[in-house]
């Protein structure tokens, strides 16, 4: 898994150059020359050892996904653009949407500190580099770890490794639960405490951070300024079982002047994000479930999403089945803000259910092939009348509906990690 | 009848014993035994301290049959699943897999010299001077 990089050639070059400089003084006889050569070879080996010792403390890991995805809703929006699923996928095959590559450098600085940087390049961002993790890690005690810098959001059970497809069975995590907060990273600090109570292992994590979240759910892109965000999460593991619970309490500011609705702007509105989940995996049978929720005071809908998933491994093959749902509440509260409030509610309200049937195939270590078909249904109810689910919330603002009764999303991917 | 079964079992014992895996540490270690759950905590990177010692796990090289058998017996996971498990740990900064010894012989040498290390090996390869903490059948 870990590749240690020994830049032997570089070490030799540097030590060789150093040795060459020393050699210029050695023209006073054979004995002196021999002595110097001995010293040089000693220095060379010391330099090599120093360099190897330094590089020995650096781990390089990486992961990559190449995938294709498309849906079957062959319809245009009112403005002529194609209907999208999760804001990006269309009815044409995309080679970019799922594809991404990440590299992680983990340097041990001393007995207690590490520096970790993970850079991610997504196909959908034209492979522009983004820092997903960039932090200094200080081991306060053998069980308490403090980190500061850029961290991935720990909102949901799989959030912190959602970009590493190799770590889970789906091609992509259920959007119903994970798009509740469509954002990955925060800037701040956290403390993690690892403790075992008898046979049960726990990891308690507390953090303070802030972030800016770009949203495309309204007619004009807007930025949610998330500040004073404090959160806590607990993961407990016993044999083949593990449970997850998290709660986060930020303040959210949103300026809606650019959308022409300054009266609906959010000014340090109290919000919360929560999630509970469980996983069972005995090596053959896998079952997991999770429920996530987001609420912001004001016209913003209270959104929740969840899924139940199971799979069974037959050797290298693992067929799996997932049921997922997303819903939104609070239309009546939003209606108090007039038609605009109601429209903004609809823009953010997502309601849908889905069945996902997939297969993961692990023929060799560190590579997995995956395929998935997702069938979506049950889009609207009284609380979310114009929802098209994760198909274009913007169109809901326009009052349109997708016209297909069996909308499906198809995806194939190959995931690697080292 | 019972005696007959017993002697059959005794006869077959060496055959089965070959497949057994031992969790071993230095004879100088203050730790005398580990439970299955504790071994899981240690080898899955969740940390384990016993008798005031923070224990450190050591792996055999990847691809080693004893390594694959060890994780299968201890966690029910095969090599690919262990890779996926460690990918989650590594890419969330929660830990790295145990250090690898180059061979069983190197593992034995390191275990003898460093009392906080815990490793595993086939029962028929465990030399004198190492303490058995747990037997995985």
């Amino acid at each position: 898994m870990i590749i240690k990089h020994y830049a032997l050639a570089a070490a030799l070059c540097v030590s060789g150059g150093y040795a060459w400089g020393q050699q210029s003084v050695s023209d006073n006889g054979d004995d002196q020359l021999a002595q110097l050569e001995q010293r040089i070879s000693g220095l060379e080996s010391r330099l090599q050892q120093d360099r190897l010792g330094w590089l020995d403390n650096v781990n390089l890991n990486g992961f990559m996904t190449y995938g294709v995805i498309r849906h079957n809703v062959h319809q245009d929006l009112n403005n002529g653009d194609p209907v999208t699923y999760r804001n990006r996928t269309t009815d044409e095959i995309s080679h970019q949407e799922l594809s991404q590559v990440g590299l992680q450098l983990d340097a041990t600085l001393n007995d207690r500190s590490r520096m970790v940087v993970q850079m991610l390049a997504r196909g959908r961002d034209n492979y522009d580099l983004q820092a997903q993790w960039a932090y200094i890690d200080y081991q306060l005690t053998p069980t308490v770890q403090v980190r500061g810098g850029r961290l991935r959001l720990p909102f949901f059970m799989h959030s912190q490794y959602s970009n590493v497809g190799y770590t889970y069975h789906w091609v992509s995590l259920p959007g119903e639960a994970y798009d509740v907060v469509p954002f990955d990273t925060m800037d701040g600090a956290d403390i993690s405490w690892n403790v075992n109570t008898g046979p049960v292992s726990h990891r308690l994590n507390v953090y303070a951070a802030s972030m800016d979240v770009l949203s495309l759910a309204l007619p004009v892109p807007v930025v949610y300024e998330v500040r004073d965000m404090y959160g806590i999460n607990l993961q407990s593991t016993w044999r083949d079982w593990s449970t997850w619970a998290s709660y986060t309490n930020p303040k959210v500011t949103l300026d809606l002047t650019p959308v022409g609705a300054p009266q609906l702007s959010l000014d340090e509105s109290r919000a919360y994000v929560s999630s509970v989940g469980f996983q069972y995996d005995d090596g053959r049978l896998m079952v997991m479930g999770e429920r996530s929720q987001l609420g912001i005071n004001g016209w913003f809908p209270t959104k929740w999403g969840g899924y139940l998933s199971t799979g069974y491994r037959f050797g290298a093959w693992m067929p799996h089945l997932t049921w997922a749902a997303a819903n939104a509440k609070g239309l009546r509260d939003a209606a108090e803000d007039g038609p605009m409030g109601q429209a903004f509610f609809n823009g953010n309200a997502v309601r849908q259910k889905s069945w996902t049937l997939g297969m993961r195939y692990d023929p060799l270590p560190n590579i997995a092939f995956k395929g998935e078909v997702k069938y979506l249904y049950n889009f609207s109810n009284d609380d979310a009348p114009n929802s098209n689910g994760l198909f274009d919330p913007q169109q809901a603002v326009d009052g349109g509906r997708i016209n297909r009764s069996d909308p499906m999303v198809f995806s194939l991917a190959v995931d690697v990690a080292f | 009848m019972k005696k007959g079964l017993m002697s059959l079992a005794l006869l077959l014992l060496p055959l089965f014993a070959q497949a057994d895996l031992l969790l071993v540490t230095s004879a100088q270690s203050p730790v005398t035994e580990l439970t299955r759950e504790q071994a899981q905590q240690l080898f899955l990177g969740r940390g384990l301290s016993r008798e005031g010692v923070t224990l450190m796990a050591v792996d055999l090289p990847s691809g080693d049959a004893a390594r694959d058998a060890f994780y299968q017996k201890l966690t029910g996971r095969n090599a690919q699943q262990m890779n996926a498990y460690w990918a989650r740990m590594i890419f969330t900064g929660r830990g790295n897999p145990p250090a690898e010894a180059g061979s069983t012989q190197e593992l034995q040498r390191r275990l003898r010299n460093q009392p906080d290390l815990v490793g595993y090996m086939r029962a028929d390869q465990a030399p004198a001077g190492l303490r058995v903490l747990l037997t995985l059948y």
Side-chain angles (χ1 to χ4, degrees), chain B residues 37-49:
Chain B
E37 283 83 10
Q38 287 166 342
Q40 282 183 356
Q41 286 166 349
L42 178 61
F43 278 86
L44 294 177
R46 294 178 197 137
L48 184 69
S49 294

Side-chain angles (χ1 to χ4, degrees), chain A residues 309-367:
Chain A
S309 185
T310 185
Y312 194 85
R313 295 184 187 85
F314 299 93
W317 297 88
M318 182 185 184
H320 53 88
L321 182 68
T322 303
W323 180 81
N327 212 337
K329 292 179 289 191
L331 177 62
R332 276 185 211 97
D333 291 344
E336 288 172 12
D337 288 318
M340 197 71 121
Q342 201 165 332
F344 282 11
F345 173 94
N346 282 337
N348 285 279
V350 170
R351 179 188 162 82
Q352 75 170 34
K353 291 174 186 164
S354 71
W355 284 99
T356 304
L357 183 63
M359 179 74 85
R360 175 179 169 134
Y361 173 53
D362 284 78
L364 294 162
N366 302 340
I367 187 164

Side-chain angles (χ1 to χ4, degrees), chain A residues 80-106:
Chain A
D81 289 340
V83 165
T84 62
Y85 172 73
R86 295 178 83 178
N87 289 319
R88 292 174 300 269
T89 300
T90 69
D91 60 341
E92 287 185 5
I93 290 175
S94 166
H95 296 265
Q96 288 188 322
E97 171 59 21
L98 298 172
S99 303
Q100 54 189 1
V101 58
L103 282 175
Q104 179 169 311
L105 190 77
D106 179 340

Side-chain angles (χ1 to χ4, degrees), chain A residues 135-381:
Chain A
Y135 63 84
I136 295 167
D137 175 335
Y138 189 77
Q139 199 79 36
L140 216 54
T141 74
T143 56
V144 179
Q145 176 189 24
V146 186
R147 305 188 289 190
R150 168 155 295 184
L151 308 170
R152 278 182 65 89
L153 286 172
F155 284 169
F156 311 130
M157 190 159 65
H158 307 295
S159 287
Q160 291 198 311
Y161 46 83
S162 66
N163 51 352
V164 192
Y166 184 76
T167 59
Y168 45 81
H169 56 289
W170 298 288
V171 170
S172 46
L173 295 170
E176 287 88 347
Y178 282 79
D179 284 3
V180 163
V181 178
F183 201 63
D184 297 328
T185 58
M186 61 182 186
D187 297 300
D190 73 353
I191 301 178
S192 300
W193 185 39
N194 289 294
V195 62
N196 296 327
T197 51
V200 187
S201 304
H202 309 276
R203 180 181 170 88
L204 181 71
N205 174 255
V206 180
Y207 63 93
S210 62
M211 58 184 186
D212 291 330
V213 184
L214 176 72
S215 169
L216 304 173
L218 297 173
V220 177
V222 291
V223 174
Y224 291 77
E225 292 172 13
V226 182
R227 300 289 180 266
D228 299 337
M229 182 164 77
Y230 302 100
I232 185 165
N233 57 72
L234 175 69
Q235 182 164 28
S236 302
T237 308
W238 176 70
R239 295 191 181 176
D240 299 329
W241 291 90
S242 80
T243 59
W244 161 267
S246 82
Y247 186 82
T248 305
N249 199 213
K251 285 179 188 163
V252 177
T253 298
L254 174 66
D255 180 11
L256 287 174
T257 314
V259 196
Q263 74 278 13
L264 295 179
S265 293
L266 303 173
D267 184 18
E268 299 196 340
S269 279
R270 273 279 156 212
Y272 69 91
V273 185
S274 67
S275 159
V276 288
F278 76 95
Q279 297 181 69
Y280 171 83
D281 192 340
D282 64 11
R284 289 183 185 277
L285 176 67
M286 181 281 304
V287 184
M288 63 170 73
E290 186 178 7
R291 187 187 192 281
S292 60
Q293 185 156 326
L294 162 71
I296 305 176
N297 281 348
W299 53 264
F300 196 90
T302 299
K303 300 164 78 170
W304 69 262
Y307 60 87
L308 268 175
S309 185
T310 185
Y312 194 85
R313 295 184 187 85
F314 299 93
W317 297 88
M318 182 185 184
H320 53 88
L321 182 68
T322 303
W323 180 81
N327 212 337
K329 292 179 289 191
L331 177 62
R332 276 185 211 97
D333 291 344
E336 288 172 12
D337 288 318
M340 197 71 121
Q342 201 165 332
F344 282 11
F345 173 94
N346 282 337
N348 285 279
V350 170
R351 179 188 162 82
Q352 75 170 34
K353 291 174 186 164
S354 71
W355 284 99
T356 304
L357 183 63
M359 179 74 85
R360 175 179 169 134
Y361 173 53
D362 284 78
L364 294 162
N366 302 340
I367 187 164
F369 297 88
K370 300 174 186 174
E372 229 165 75
V373 178
K374 183 165 181 145
Y375 163 67
L376 305 106
Y377 66 103
N378 209 340
F379 289 136
S380 51
N381 68 356

Side-chain angles (χ1 to χ4, degrees), chain B residues 109-131:
Chain B
R109 196 170 59 245
R110 287 174 69 173
L111 289 172
R112 267 193 231 102
N113 295 336
Q114 217 180 317
D116 59 342
L117 295 185
V118 177
Y120 53 85
M121 56 194 68
R122 282 186 6 220
D124 58 351
Q125 291 182 328
L130 291 179
R131 176 176 301 148

Side-chain angles (χ1 to χ4, degrees), chain A residues 45 49 61 74 76 80 131 148 157 199 210 306 314 325 372 384 407 413:
Chain A
S45 68
Q49 275 168 8
N61 295 97
H74 310 295
D76 288 340
M157 190 159 65
S210 62
F314 299 93
E372 229 165 75

